Amino acid sequence: MAGHHLKVLAVFGTRPDAIKMAPVVLEFMKHPDKVRLVVAVTGQHREMLDQVLAAFEIKPDYDLAIMRDRQSLAGMTSRALEGLDPVIDEVKPDILLAQGDTTTTFVASLASFYHKVAFGHVEAGLRTDNKYNPFPEEMNRRLTAVLADLHFAPTTAAKDNLLAQGVPADRIFVTGNTVIDALLHVAAKDYVFEDERLQKAVSSGRKLILVTSHRRENWGEPMREICKAVKELVLAHPDVEVVFSLHKNPIVREVIVPELDSFERINLIEPPDYVPFVHLMKASHLILTDSGGVQEEGPALGKPVLVLRTTTERPEGVEAGNAKLVGTDRQKIVQEAGKLLLDSSEYDAMAKVANPYGDGFASERIVDAIFNHFGGKE
Ligand code: UD1
């Protein structure tokens, strides 16, 4: 029967890609009778990727280790492309899968095109319609959509974006976002923080504000504004404690650390592993973030999310009333967060559990659609 196995090559390399591909990988692994799954990681993120691989107990078959300190877009694009070439030659997959909008994902779609291998795009169809915002993600996902054969759209709005781009309807599958599969899997379990500082912050009795910021559009001045807003919030609200999860990127740290280091009730922490991070979100009162994934996770946990960006490709959370776009203006952030801290009706309106991004079964739908496409369904 080995000859009849469908061969799937899953490619990812950053923290968010790994979190969102892990449920798909694990779902395929339930069907060893039908599929041979090969995992290739680019290693675009070294430490942050390895954390997620460990959390989901996934062992990559190939690791391209492309990360460099202060890597340029062109450098990592070409290293990933050259690295994937021999892997595709060797594996000879029936289909290559990648998720989202990172450079790893775009390169995976390009590499599969060069090898005339089918490409499946997980989390397809997100758009801001602004070429440079987010940069380079908006173009990464548009270019990927041009090269993809199967499009797994998380929501109907994402499907509509793909239809508008001319993607045939029978190539689009609305599946929900796999980030919710991963989240529900992890959030249901009890957890005690091993990190003493986190345990202390979480049990301080204060309102915990969780902050993350890493986006290229926010590098420099906007990120400094975010830091100043965080300081102001802490000074104005004695019942608030901040946990700021620092991205590994040195360009991000150079701004944040000097602004916020050793400030009272502000904890700058290394990016926690995925499992503690989920429990940190669960323990928080309010989330300030420019991350895409956190915008999806917050609503599912019933946490208000203030989005530190001027655009979002994830309008569903805003429409559901769980998220608000506040940008990076210091005053605006202080004002919007202040409202939620002081006015319980404002807070309650945003702090309701909603699942605009998925029901936890996205990976099952994706795997089913792929089996169906290749006629492998029994
Ligand atoms: C990347 C993605 C972005 C995604 C983000 C999530 C691209 C172009 N950007 O941005 O879409 O939202 O990941 O985190 O694909 N670094 C480490 N260790 C790590 C990870 C990063 O040291 O584990 C440092 C390196 O110095 C690296 C830098 O961070 O040069 C930036 O990483 P890079 O992948 O270029 O961009 P991100 O900002 O992480």
Side-chain angles (χ1 to χ4, degrees), residues 14-16 44-49 67-73 76 101-104 135-137 140 214-216 219 247-250 252 292:
T14 67
R15 176 183 165 104
Q44 179 179 334
H45 284 170
R46 187 68 277 158
E47 302 89 333
M48 299 206 296
L49 170 70
M67 194 185 89
R68 301 289 181 274
D69 189 32
R70 293 165 200 267
Q71 59 201 356
S72 71
L73 291 173
M76 72 172 133
D101 55 18
T102 66
T103 293
T104 286
F135 175 83
E137 290 82 6
N140 280 347
H214 74 279
R215 301 216 79 87
R216 269 160 213 269
W219 285 359
H247 192 283
K248 284 279 177 198
N249 192 341
V252 166

Side-chain angles (χ1 to χ4, degrees), residues 32-352:
D33 51 322
K34 290 197 258 182
V35 67
R36 205 190 131 219
L37 180 85
V38 179
V39 173
V41 298
T42 60
Q44 179 179 334
H45 284 170
R46 187 68 277 158
E47 302 89 333
M48 299 206 296
L49 170 70
D50 293 344
Q51 285 178 6
V52 185
L53 291 172
F56 289 95
E57 297 178 38
I58 293 172
K59 290 190 182 60
D61 302 280
Y62 296 89
D63 190 331
L64 309 180
I66 67 161
M67 194 185 89
R68 301 289 181 274
D69 189 32
R70 293 165 200 267
Q71 59 201 356
S72 71
L73 291 173
M76 72 172 133
T77 301
S78 50
R79 283 194 300 279
L81 192 59
E82 297 232 18
L84 277 175
D85 220 43
V87 174
I88 299 174
D89 271 335
E90 199 173 296
V91 176
K92 297 189 178 46
D94 297 297
I95 184 167
L96 202 148
L97 280 185
Q99 97 77 38
D101 55 18
T102 66
T103 293
T104 286
T105 304
F106 161 57
V107 169
S109 73
L110 184 59
S112 76
F113 169 66
Y114 287 160
H115 289 262
K116 298 190 178 152
V117 170
F119 183 82
H121 188 199
V122 177
E123 195 186 80
L126 278 61
R127 296 289 182 272
T128 61
D129 292 322
N130 183 331
K131 185 174 177 181
Y132 294 108
N133 197 324
F135 175 83
E137 290 82 6
E138 177 71 3
M139 277 328 221
N140 280 347
R141 54 187 163 233
R142 279 177 177 272
L143 295 165
T144 303
V146 172
L147 297 169
D149 301 282
L150 301 178
H151 307 253
F152 303 108
T155 64
T156 51
K159 177 179 180 172
D160 291 342
N161 290 334
L162 291 165
L163 290 171
Q165 193 182 317
V167 176
D170 63 350
R171 292 304 178 103
I172 308 172
F173 305 85
V174 178
T175 60
N177 198 309
T178 57
V179 77
I180 306 298
D181 304 13
L183 181 73
L184 298 182
H185 179 76
V186 166
K189 297 179 186 157
D190 285 333
Y191 184 79
V192 182
F193 290 92
E194 280 162 27
D195 184 321
E196 246 174 73
R197 191 154 171 224
L198 279 186
Q199 185 53 40
K200 235 175 110 188
V202 164
S203 51
S204 68
R206 299 196 183 98
K207 290 177 177 164
L208 196 72
I209 302 185
L210 177 62
V211 190
T212 84
S213 177
H214 74 279
R215 301 216 79 87
R216 269 160 213 269
E217 314 85 80
N218 286 347
W219 285 359
E221 212 34 50
M223 212 167 272
R224 197 163 292 120
E225 282 283 297
I226 292 170
C227 292
K228 293 203 165 110
V230 168
K231 266 195 267 193
E232 251 180 64
L233 277 170
V234 163
L235 288 174
H237 304 272
D239 59 339
V240 155
E241 175 114 10
V242 168
V243 172
F244 200 134
S245 171
L246 286 179
H247 192 283
K248 284 279 177 198
N249 192 341
I251 298 172
V252 166
R253 291 179 178 225
E254 277 160 15
V255 175
I256 298 171
V257 174
E259 281 292 335
L260 298 181
D261 203 21
S262 4
F263 208 82
E264 56 162 343
R265 286 179 284 122
I266 297 180
N267 306 275
L268 298 185
I269 59 163
E270 288 301 318
D273 290 357
Y274 179 61
V275 176
F277 187 75
V278 166
H279 289 276
L280 203 51
M281 287 190 284
K282 252 177 99 170
S284 65
H285 182 73
L286 165 64
I287 302 174
L288 306 185
T289 190
D290 61 11
S291 145
V294 178
Q295 285 178 61
E296 295 156 343
E297 292 160 332
L301 297 171
K303 304 299 173 181
V305 177
L306 296 182
V307 183
L308 305 169
R309 297 175 46 185
T310 50
T311 62
T312 183
E313 56 290 311
R314 292 167 169 92
E316 293 88 350
V318 177
E319 280 154 19
N322 297 77
K324 221 183 237 182
L325 276 186
V326 299
T328 56
D329 178 72
R330 174 167 48 117
Q331 255 187 322
K332 172 92 174 155
I333 298 169
V334 172
Q335 191 191 348
E336 292 291 344
K339 256 199 273 180
L340 292 174
L341 289 167
L342 296 175
D343 184 336
S344 62
S345 62
E346 288 266 350
Y347 181 82
D348 294 342
M350 282 187 85
K352 53 189 193 293

